[in-house]
Amino acid sequence: MSNKSFYKNSLMLIASNLTTGILGFTFSIILSRSLGAEGMGLYGLVMPIYNLFICLICGGVITAISKLSAIYFDEKSYFNLKSTIRTTLFFNLIWGVLIAILVFFLAPFISSFIIKDSRTVNAIRITCPAMVFIACSNILKGYFYGTSEILVPAIIDIFEKAVRISVIISISMIFKLSSVTTLVTVSYLALCIGEFISLTFLYIYYKKSIYKLKDIKHTNRDGRGQLLFNVLIISLPLCLNGFLTTALDALCTLLLPRRLLKAGIEYSMALGLIGKFTGMTMNIVFFPMIVVGSISTLLIPDLSQTINKKDYDSAALRIKEVLKIALLLGLSTLAICNAIPTELGFMFFKRQDLGPFIAFASLCAPFSYCSFTTYSILNGISKQNIILRNSIIGALIEISSLFILASIPSINIFGYGISLMITAIVVLILNLYEINKHIKINFSLFQIVLPILIGVLCFFSLKIVSALTLPITGTFKNIFIIALGFSFFLIGIFIKDNTKNPSYYR
């Protein structure tokens, strides 16, 4: 797509994802106040299991469908486009139902012997229908991303998050729930209802969208078997990658309370620390990732189209632009989280003890944001095997460092943050090396130094403003500092480097 269309669609997706992100963040705040730190820790133990089976059912499908939809749509091969969606929907529906049934009956085993907390059995069973709903929704979202139809699916996402919040508030108030076990189960019930509503509206809009596409008779028409093979050849390496890395991430999550016990922290307190760090702190630090995620979502079909046209210079330029955005946003987040860490914790979660966690976790933001972007770049240039290899390397590093560090009493939960940082740095280096082997991207000294200088200037400016006695105080002061911090991010984006760097495909 053109430069103007790419950033127009990116801004639309960012706006919608920010809205859904705010609603999701609101959902986490409501959860934290309903469940408490221990309940958030318990909620967080179920989520990796849910994500693991989602990866097994439909890992890589969004990427595969968005890439193929972009190519078919660009070539006006609408028959192949429609048939691909229908075939993949049917395949994923059958596969998703089989996995969901298996998980439903294995829920007692998973809760007792894998999570090692029997209070999670009902929550696991509640997620089973959601697995089927999201398996089908991901195919439709891939179609919309590939054909650059962003607005209506984005509105549907916003509505789904609003429903999720309404459900948990309504059920909690009507039945006056107080049990942590019941509240965690209700939280996943809200997720399930939201996914069903999202799938229903996505399908209705898909039928309306696809009806307008009239196939051109002379275009090549592939059989359903070939079209499904085209999807699977892209998605299977990503599915394997997602499943293995999610399994390793789940292992990290389940390993964390055990390593904290090894550090001499009792189980309920360990769950509380996990709830504070992963359920609260990480939501604050990684909230701006919505911007990076939105751009990265559209980057995959964009690079696929560009490479398909053999326009490698434009591909290299796009990669550099997106990496610059990710780095600047990560540095701005780092500056904000270190300027007012305690204030952020109190403003969002009404807790005064999150400051050290927020300041420390934010150190990995620049590396994690850029690392996430490089995965989308590798997807866009069809290097799924590289993604699989580097993801597994990163996950093994994370597990190893977490296993060692979290059990040290003086480090405990901070070992989780250190392991994330080490992993992000290693994966970023490995991914950039591979990208540069195939699409040469030359960064000038100006392009490297500028974001760092902006980040340093941002931090000291925020510290000075924070120390000043302003007419505004409390939440309004915090909002002013956050807005000021991200204004440096915007300034950095609009500073252009006119250095001409050659770039070519290898």
Side-chain angles (χ1 to χ4, degrees), residues 138-373:
N138 280 355
I139 296 169
L140 301 178
K141 287 179 181 178
Y143 162 79
F144 291 126
Y145 294 148
T147 56
S148 300
E149 292 191 57
I150 305 298
L151 185 59
V152 173
I155 294 171
I156 292 171
D157 271 349
I158 293 170
F159 181 66
E160 183 261 324
K161 293 295 187 299
V163 167
R164 195 185 297 187
I165 293 171
S166 302
V167 168
I168 190 170
I169 291 175
S170 301
I171 293 178
S172 299
M173 289 179 64
I174 292 170
F175 296 101
K176 302 187 184 302
L177 303 176
S178 57
S179 166
V180 169
T181 305
T182 308
L183 284 167
V184 169
T185 304
V186 168
S187 302
Y188 280 100
L189 175 63
L191 179 148
C192 185
I193 293 172
E195 291 296 346
F196 173 73
I197 291 172
S198 177
L199 172 61
T200 302
F201 284 106
L202 281 171
Y203 187 74
I204 292 170
Y205 182 62
Y206 163 75
K207 295 298 289 184
K208 180 181 178 182
S209 170
I210 208 76
Y211 180 77
K212 297 182 294 185
L213 303 180
K214 304 299 181 183
D215 190 48
I216 300 172
K217 292 184 179 180
H218 66 263
T219 57
N220 292 327
R221 297 187 174 191
D222 295 327
R224 290 190 174 186
Q226 180 62 49
L227 293 172
L228 181 60
F229 176 80
N230 293 341
V231 174
L232 295 179
I233 201 67
I234 298 173
S235 64
L236 280 179
L238 293 174
C239 177
L240 180 60
N241 164 50
F243 183 77
L244 290 176
T245 54
T246 304
L248 293 171
D249 286 341
L251 180 59
C252 281
T253 303
L254 300 174
L255 183 67
L256 187 53
R258 294 160 179 76
R259 300 313 293 167
L260 292 176
L261 286 172
K262 185 74 173 176
I265 300 170
E266 63 179 26
Y267 183 69
S268 60
M269 187 178 293
L271 278 182
L273 286 174
I274 294 169
K276 291 175 190 176
F277 201 96
T278 64
M280 301 179 195
T281 296
M282 300 304 285
N283 278 328
I284 293 174
V285 172
F286 284 95
F287 182 79
M289 180 74 90
I290 291 170
V291 176
V292 177
S294 302
I295 295 174
S296 296
T297 298
L298 296 178
L299 181 63
I300 296 171
D302 178 73
L303 284 178
S304 297
Q305 283 184 343
T306 307
I307 297 298
N308 193 49
K309 295 175 181 176
K310 303 189 185 303
D311 188 0
Y312 304 119
D313 285 341
S314 294
L317 181 60
R318 179 80 80 226
I319 289 169
K320 289 166 70 174
E321 289 173 344
V322 173
L323 283 172
K324 176 185 175 183
I325 290 171
L327 179 58
L328 283 168
L329 188 61
L331 290 169
S332 297
T333 302
L334 172 62
I336 293 168
C337 289
N338 276 271
I340 51 170
T342 303
E343 291 87 343
L344 289 173
F346 186 77
M347 182 172 74
F348 292 116
F349 294 102
K350 299 300 179 186
R351 300 188 69 101
Q352 295 280 8
D353 55 354
L354 298 181
F357 298 147
I358 294 171
F360 188 81
S362 66
L363 294 174
C364 68
F367 308 109
S368 295
Y369 288 18
C370 291
S371 176
F372 182 87
T373 303

Side-chain angles (χ1 to χ4, degrees), residues 479-496:
I479 292 172
F480 175 75
I481 290 173
I482 292 169
L484 179 62
F486 286 124
S487 69
F488 283 90
F489 157 69
L490 295 174
I491 291 169
I493 289 177
F494 290 109
I495 296 177
K496 299 293 183 182

